[in-house]
Amino acid sequence: MSTLLHIDSSPLYGRSVSRQLTGAFVTQWKSSHADGKVVYRDLNATQIPPVSAEWVGAAYTPEAARTLQQKELLTLSDSLVAELEQADEYIFGVPMHNFGVPSVLKLWIDQIARVGRTFSYGEGGPKGLIIGKKATFTIATGGIYDAQTQRASFNFVEPYLRSVFGFLGVKDATFLTAGGTSALNQGHDRNTFLAPHLQAVQTHAQTF
Ligand SMILES: Cc1cc2nc3c(=O)[nH]c(=O)nc-3n(C[C@H](O)[C@H](O)[C@H](O)COP(=O)(O)O)c2cc1C
């Protein structure tokens, strides 16, 4: 039985393009994984504090030597890491905010990037410990940042996610971007705009 971890990070809910695309992915995935399990993590409904000095101290203390207080500090991080470890596949909905990922996603990444749990330092340098997973990122951006366009270098979403997940060991990553969603605020028909993106997501989900 496969497990899919579904993570959304747009605050816009019903108006969100990235949430609609992850929804389409999950529907398609469920239809081809009748006995599959979907674990949902809505980052806009999860309270994630920024990391503190105490948190860093706890994370870098070997597990066997942690105090009760340090263990408690890592409880949320432990459960978020467990969700990653227990899933076989991931689908992320990511809106571009200020050329990067939304702050709730960055807070989540700070919780799951854990030395000794999701990456380690060895003789050969850092090593990702989240291996054998397949990740899909559906990204929505107001403007267009395709390669060769003037604003391509402003896109810190895909390069960042590719780097951080690659660092953690997730090498099998697909990025599907719906660029130019600002057209929807200028009266562009939502269904017409979304049709090719929904098609791309469904086609990709069928390969799972
Ligand atoms: C706080 C905020 C910051 C944004 N920053 C950018 C940006 O830097 N570049 C851009 O092209 N669009 C930006 N947008 C537009 C979003 O990327 C766009 O609305 C996209 O559809 C968001 O995904 P969603 O529909 O899933 O929420 C921003 C939107 C918000 C709400």
Side-chain angles (χ1 to χ4, degrees), residues 68-118:
L68 193 59
Q69 195 190 10
Q70 285 181 317
K71 285 180 186 161
E72 277 167 12
L73 271 173
L74 297 177
T75 307
L76 174 64
S77 169
D78 286 340
S79 56
L80 297 176
V81 168
E83 285 175 357
L84 269 182
E85 289 171 342
Q86 286 159 17
D88 308 290
E89 291 148 19
Y90 311 139
I91 174 74
F92 288 87
V94 186
M96 174 186 273
H97 283 177
N98 301 313
F99 308 111
V101 300
S103 49
V104 289
L105 181 55
K106 178 60 169 61
L107 288 170
W108 177 86
I109 288 170
D110 289 345
Q111 294 289 323
I112 60 93
R114 279 270 302 278
V115 68
R117 280 297 293 276
T118 56

Side-chain angles (χ1 to χ4, degrees), residues 10 12 15-18 95-99 140-143 145 181:
S10 168
L12 298 186
R15 279 196 292 136
S16 162
V17 169
S18 61
M96 174 186 273
H97 283 177
N98 301 313
F99 308 111
T141 64
Y145 301 87
T181 65

Side-chain angles (χ1 to χ4, degrees), residues 18-142:
S18 61
R19 281 178 182 266
Q20 192 166 344
L21 295 177
T22 59
F25 182 99
V26 172
T27 303
Q28 182 62 50
W29 189 89
K30 278 181 175 166
S31 75
S32 48
H33 297 79
D35 61 346
K37 182 177 158 194
V38 179
V39 174
Y40 186 48
R41 173 61 65 181
D42 181 355
L43 297 182
N44 303 90
T46 307
Q47 289 294 324
I48 305 181
V51 297
S52 61
E54 291 75 20
W55 187 97
V56 176
Y60 278 85
T61 299
E63 195 172 347
R66 278 183 202 135
T67 64
L68 193 59
Q69 195 190 10
Q70 285 181 317
K71 285 180 186 161
E72 277 167 12
L73 271 173
L74 297 177
T75 307
L76 174 64
S77 169
D78 286 340
S79 56
L80 297 176
V81 168
E83 285 175 357
L84 269 182
E85 289 171 342
Q86 286 159 17
D88 308 290
E89 291 148 19
Y90 311 139
I91 174 74
F92 288 87
V94 186
M96 174 186 273
H97 283 177
N98 301 313
F99 308 111
V101 300
S103 49
V104 289
L105 181 55
K106 178 60 169 61
L107 288 170
W108 177 86
I109 288 170
D110 289 345
Q111 294 289 323
I112 60 93
R114 279 270 302 278
V115 68
R117 280 297 293 276
T118 56
F119 70 95
S120 64
Y121 293 112
E123 279 177 13
K127 185 175 153 210
L129 301 177
I130 300 292
I131 49 173
K133 314 290 185 182
K134 206 169 167 180
T136 304
F137 298 86
T138 62
I139 299 168
T141 64

